[in-house]
Amino acid sequence: MKSNLLALLCFFALIIVTDPVFSQISDKDIKKEQQNKSLKILVISDLNDIYGSTTYSQEVLDLVGSVSTLKPDLILCGGDMVAGQKKTLTREAIQAMWKGFDQAVLQPIKASGVPFGFTMGNHDASPNFVLDREVSASFWANHKADVNLTFIESSHFPYYFSYLKNNVFIISWDASSSQIPAEVKSWMKDQLDSPLAKEARFKIVLGHLPLYALVESKNKPGEVLEHTDETLQFLKENQVDLYLSGHQHVYYPAKKESVILYHSGCLGGGPRSLLGHQEAPYKSYGFIEIPKNIKNKGSVKVSAIRADDKHEVKLEDLPAQVSGFNGSLNRIDLSK
């Protein structure tokens, strides 16, 4: 009887050690990240070039090489790290793309010591491309430690997971298509209802597809999240402060009701112009800066830097409003 009990205890101990639900970061590390400190986030997105490309543009390489100079506390990537989503790409070709990403982007960032948060884009792991998802999951399973994040819950990594940095609670969810699965929203609600999230001073959700259309080629269903109003309400009800997205390849900071919407420009191929705005498209990266003590959302600074001349994009040079098929957005005014 005793031997059976001992065997059972050993079995459950093995589960606790090996199951990703239990094998989270230590309490000591979490307590360290619960301290209120200013947080400088470097925002990058849409790094990929043509289908199947294993190399990256000079803008990507330059930015990655500048991380130590820019001194961010955290890097967040809005997805499309590789150039998949094409049926003719073989397993070997997809693996080669992720190897290229590892060498050109991930390992240099790891060497800098800056934590790397990301979300999966449609070219990384579209739900309709089973091989893409299989290879990307395998890649990230072998590189989970390289991102240097203080995970809170990562049993569904790399598709959706939560982490903490300087008492800012961040969730990466699977917005690689226009549909957010019900189980993802249920998981996310549990995360945002947790004591760690409720005690956090700011909450960010990171997903590839945005809520609203901003550019002509994406001004149609399937290129934004479905059920826009319902999704916005979900973010509001769960007290999310900022939603960070990529996909549209254009920078536009907006605020919809109580939620800041940071739309990241691209560093890879295909920058685009805003709907109704004639300025030539440009590649960019950006920053979200959260002060130590947040009195209101107006104390949070958002910005973007043009990759060509390194000049900051002036808010007044962006249109006051952008209107697409599923709604309008007003340019951010954090003073309100």
Side-chain angles (χ1 to χ4, degrees):
M1 183 69 178
K2 287 184 178 179
S3 60
N4 290 338
L5 180 60
L6 181 59
L8 188 61
L9 289 173
C10 289
F11 172 73
F12 282 115
L14 181 63
I15 291 177
I16 290 173
V17 169
T18 59
D19 193 301
V21 174
F22 294 100
S23 58
Q24 306 300 325
I25 211 79
S26 71
D27 288 342
K28 181 180 178 181
D29 290 327
I30 290 175
K31 288 185 183 299
K32 179 182 176 182
E33 292 296 354
Q34 282 186 291
Q35 298 176 25
N36 286 347
K37 297 179 181 178
S38 60
L39 181 64
K40 181 181 180 181
I41 300 171
L42 171 61
V43 180
I44 59 176
S45 191
D46 298 272
L47 312 180
N48 55 347
D49 275 295
I50 61 172
Y51 288 113
S53 178
T54 59
T55 59
Y56 290 84
S57 66
Q58 193 60 48
E59 291 87 353
V60 172
L61 300 178
D62 287 346
L63 188 281
V64 170
S66 300
V67 168
S68 297
T69 302
L70 296 172
K71 297 183 180 345
D73 303 301
L74 173 68
I75 298 171
L76 291 180
C77 179
D80 279 0
M81 295 167 279
V82 298
Q85 203 180 27
K86 190 172 185 179
K87 293 291 187 183
T88 55
L89 290 172
T90 64
R91 179 183 297 274
E92 291 73 22
I94 299 170
Q95 289 172 334
M97 287 191 298
W98 281 109
K99 182 179 180 180
F101 169 78
D102 185 43
Q103 293 174 341
V105 180
L106 185 59
Q107 292 309 312
I109 289 176
K110 177 187 176 183
S112 76
V114 179
F116 179 73
F118 64 90
T119 188
M120 302 301 278
N122 57 296
H123 289 290
D124 302 318
S126 172
N128 294 325
F129 286 72
V130 176
L131 186 57
D132 285 11
R133 287 181 78 85
E134 182 182 327
V135 175
S136 65
S138 176
F139 172 83
W140 284 112
N142 292 321
H143 292 84
K144 186 176 180 180
D146 292 347
V147 298
N148 195 29
L149 293 172
T150 302
F151 290 107
I152 302 304
E153 211 292 309
S154 60
S155 57
H156 303 282
F157 181 87
Y159 296 113
Y160 50 104
F161 50 98
S162 61
Y163 40 109
L164 194 67
K165 184 64 179 174
N166 294 5
N167 206 23
V168 173
F169 194 89
I170 307 168
I171 287 178
S172 293
W173 71 355
D174 189 1
S176 56
S177 75
S178 61
Q179 298 178 347
I180 303 293
E183 60 268 23
V184 175
K185 284 190 175 182
S186 177
W187 170 89
M188 179 175 164
K189 183 166 180 56
D190 288 342
Q191 289 297 297
L192 291 169
D193 281 341
S194 68
L196 278 173
K198 289 185 178 298
E199 292 169 10
R201 62 205 177 95
F202 201 77
K203 301 178 188 67
I204 296 174
V205 172
L206 175 62
H208 185 59
L209 264 65
L211 274 72
Y212 298 90
L214 292 174
V215 300
E216 187 61 43
S217 62
K218 304 297 181 184
N219 190 27
K220 56 188 176 183
E223 303 291 354
V224 297
L225 296 180
E226 289 186 353
H227 312 298
T228 302
D229 293 340
E230 178 185 317
T231 303
L232 179 66
Q233 186 63 29
F234 177 82
L235 296 174
K236 286 168 48 185
E237 288 177 353
N238 289 281
Q239 299 180 316
V240 172
D241 297 294
L242 186 149
Y243 181 62
L244 170 57
S245 61
H247 190 59
Q248 306 239 359
H249 295 202
V250 66
Y251 169 65
Y252 193 71
K255 190 175 181 184
K256 194 74 169 181
E257 299 179 34
S258 63
V259 183
I260 299 170
L261 302 176
Y262 187 107
H263 306 90
S264 178
C266 73
L267 276 177
R272 302 184 179 107
S273 298
L274 289 161
L275 280 164
H277 197 45
Q278 300 306 313
E279 184 180 6
Y282 53 88
K283 298 182 180 184
S284 68
Y285 57 93
F287 293 97
I288 299 168
E289 298 176 71
I290 304 171
K292 178 179 178 180
N293 298 309
I294 301 177
K295 295 180 180 179
N296 53 57
K297 291 181 185 177
S299 60
V300 175
K301 181 184 177 183
V302 299
S303 61
I305 308 298
R306 292 180 61 123
D308 52 4
D309 59 16
K310 303 300 186 292
H311 288 161
E312 182 173 343
V313 179
K314 296 179 180 179
L315 281 179
E316 58 266 29
D317 290 339
L318 298 173
Q321 187 178 81
V322 177
S323 298
F325 81 98
N326 67 332
S328 298
L329 285 178
N330 293 323
R331 185 184 63 210
I332 197 167
D333 182 356
L334 287 173
S335 66
K336 295 182 178 179

